[in-house]
Amino acid sequence: MSFWAFSFFVVFFMASSAFSAEVEEYVPAEQDVLQSHVSFFDRNHDGIIYPSETVEGMKAIGINPFLAQSSASLIHMAISPVTTESKLPNVKLPIVVKNIAKGKHGSDSGTYDAQGRFVPAKFEEIFSKHAHAHDDSLTSDELMEMLKTNRQPNDFKGWVASFAEWKLLYDLSKDKDGLLHKDTVRAIYDGSLFYQLEKGRK
């Protein structure tokens, strides 16, 4: 084995072993709504989300396997490096739930603050500013208006992330008239919608 191959093996082993030990069931902090939002995808409730768990969770709420696989890969490549506490790379791309606020992207609605807490005033702004046809729901055009309004200059990564998230959730959660209701959006933020979708499919 060459020196470089040996070095890579050591780095991989050290980085991966930090996430291999079994831990007690992880419970999100009560005030941290962003942790609750992502915890649905922590399928074994250990506080760490691997790509395979994200794929499993996405398929459970009705996303086709190909899109689930490709989306999970992109999500974990973007978020894993900023939520893991080790400086060593980890090719398993784990996302650490307690650090998920570090993975918050720009050009969003601001409904999660920098610590991952829910901001009611920002949530209400979504509808007071963009729900024109109906007070308590968004049309597809109104949703796009919101996304464009939230765009920060030159934040291309944030633009793409916001569009992908909302487009997917709109397609999964709109009603028969193409409306995304306020209570549904609230359930998206705390993650309870994911459990409802999974239960509905079962």
Side-chain angles (χ1 to χ4, degrees), residues 177-188:
D177 298 315
L179 297 175
L180 187 62
H181 291 272
K182 188 175 184 178
D183 56 351
T184 302
V185 176
R186 182 63 181 85
I188 289 170

Side-chain angles (χ1 to χ4, degrees), residues 81-102:
V82 296
T83 64
T84 53
E85 297 173 342
S86 173
K87 293 182 179 180
L88 297 174
N90 191 324
V91 295
K92 292 185 177 181
L93 298 177
I95 292 174
V96 180
V97 175
K98 71 176 182 178
N99 296 330
I100 191 61
K102 295 179 180 179

Side-chain angles (χ1 to χ4, degrees), residues 4-22:
W4 293 111
F6 176 75
S7 299
F8 175 80
F9 173 78
V10 171
V11 168
F12 170 77
F13 175 78
M14 292 177 65
S16 299
S17 62
F19 297 92
S20 62
E22 291 198 14

Side-chain angles (χ1 to χ4, degrees), residues 89-150:
N90 191 324
V91 295
K92 292 185 177 181
L93 298 177
I95 292 174
V96 180
V97 175
K98 71 176 182 178
N99 296 330
I100 191 61
K102 295 179 180 179
K104 195 166 101 63
H105 59 75
S107 298
D108 63 358
S109 66
T111 304
Y112 297 124
D113 68 10
Q115 285 73 48
R117 297 170 297 197
F118 183 75
V119 183
K122 288 292 185 181
F123 174 74
E124 293 297 333
E125 275 185 14
I126 294 174
F127 296 89
S128 63
K129 289 184 175 181
H130 306 291
H132 308 301
H134 307 274
D135 291 340
D136 63 347
S137 58
L138 296 172
T139 65
S140 177
D141 289 342
E142 290 167 352
L143 182 60
M144 290 305 301
E145 175 190 285
M146 180 192 75
L147 294 176
K148 290 177 181 178
T149 300
N150 291 339

Side-chain angles (χ1 to χ4, degrees), residues 131-201:
H132 308 301
H134 307 274
D135 291 340
D136 63 347
S137 58
L138 296 172
T139 65
S140 177
D141 289 342
E142 290 167 352
L143 182 60
M144 290 305 301
E145 175 190 285
M146 180 192 75
L147 294 176
K148 290 177 181 178
T149 300
N150 291 339
R151 287 179 180 174
Q152 298 169 353
N154 302 316
D155 179 27
F156 301 110
K157 180 180 176 182
W159 298 0
V160 172
S162 291
F163 174 80
E165 291 168 355
W166 280 102
K167 180 66 168 67
L168 189 61
L169 290 168
Y170 174 81
D171 289 343
L172 285 170
S173 309
K174 65 184 177 183
D175 69 8
K176 61 182 177 60
D177 298 315
L179 297 175
L180 187 62
H181 291 272
K182 188 175 184 178
D183 56 351
T184 302
V185 176
R186 182 63 181 85
I188 289 170
Y189 276 106
D190 65 18
S192 59
L193 178 70
F194 302 138
Y195 297 95
Q196 294 170 26
L197 290 172
E198 181 178 31
K199 183 178 179 181
R201 285 177 57 78

